[in-house]
Amino acid sequence: GRWPAFRRPAGMGSDAIHVLEVATGKTRPLTDDGWKAAGFTWAKDDRTLFFSSNRGGDFGLWAIDARGGSEPRRVTLGMLPLGRMSADRQSRQIAVERGRIQTNLARIAAAGGPASPVTTGEGIDWDPDVRADGTIVFASDRSGTNQIWTHRPDGRIDRLSDMTASYLYAPR
């Protein structure tokens, strides 16, 4: 109860985890580098904070010494974003919410009619833009990180980028 941690969104897709020092009433950021930070929990030592973040390009579990002086260290390989979490008192296990999000793209004729699938599978596809030849450029996290992709009229899907950005929007 002396060091409550809380998440403060800095903008879309960018969060910072802060600690409130109850004795002084001051807050200080533990993370403040433009990456998403989702769920978090204290370890039994009351100085290590575990948190979910996409700071490595894909979501994973990270740990940081809340007393300062060190950079966050990655604890797990990439996985879906983790939500709320709680550690047992021995810090041997962490219970986490793990969502499964899926959003695909579809094509609808301008004159109306049924939607036909363009993309399928796990992950999130968003912000489509169609070229005159029918090629669709879109953003997706289907590779584990947010990248720019194309869906060609012949059905081929190609990844165009290999960035470590937190989020991408509106490829045109």
Side-chain angles (χ1 to χ4, degrees), residues 107 133-135 151-158:
R107 186 182 312 265
D133 70 357
T135 298
H151 178 275
R152 300 184 187 282
D154 65 5
R156 193 173 85 217
I157 296 178
D158 296 310

Side-chain angles (χ1 to χ4, degrees), residues 103-109 114-121 125-126 128-130 134-138 142 149-158:
T103 304
N104 298 127
L105 304 178
R107 186 182 312 265
I108 301 172
S116 60
V118 171
T119 61
T120 59
D125 301 331
W126 68 93
D129 190 42
V130 184
T135 298
I136 298 172
V137 63
F138 62 99
R142 61 184 42 232
W149 297 76
T150 59
H151 178 275
R152 300 184 187 282
D154 65 5
R156 193 173 85 217
I157 296 178
D158 296 310

Side-chain angles (χ1 to χ4, degrees), residues 103 119 122-126 138-149 159 161 168 171:
T103 304
T119 61
E122 293 186 23
I124 302 172
D125 301 331
W126 68 93
F138 62 99
S140 178
D141 67 357
R142 61 184 42 232
S143 64
T145 61
N146 296 312
Q147 303 297 333
I148 297 173
W149 297 76
R159 186 171 83 180
S161 66
L168 305 172

Side-chain angles (χ1 to χ4, degrees), residues 35 54-57 145-147 162-168:
W35 293 100
N54 64 347
R55 63 193 321 99
T145 61
N146 296 312
Q147 303 297 333
D162 188 16
M163 297 181 270
T164 57
S166 181
Y167 285 91
L168 305 172

Side-chain angles (χ1 to χ4, degrees), residues 37-98:
F40 54 92
T41 189
W42 288 104
K44 99 173 181 179
D45 65 6
D46 291 327
R47 79 180 280 155
T48 303
L49 190 80
F50 292 106
F51 63 100
S52 172
S53 178
N54 64 347
R55 63 193 321 99
D58 57 345
F59 270 90
L61 186 65
W62 295 76
I64 190 167
D65 182 343
R67 306 265 169 92
S70 67
E71 290 293 311
R73 65 180 169 82
R74 190 168 194 147
V75 177
T76 67
L77 296 176
M79 59 181 71
L80 291 173
L82 305 175
R84 293 176 200 91
M85 58 181 70
S86 177
D88 70 5
R89 292 309 300 159
Q90 291 78 36
S91 295
R92 290 188 205 140
Q93 295 183 38
I94 299 174
V96 299
E97 291 177 345
R98 184 174 158 191

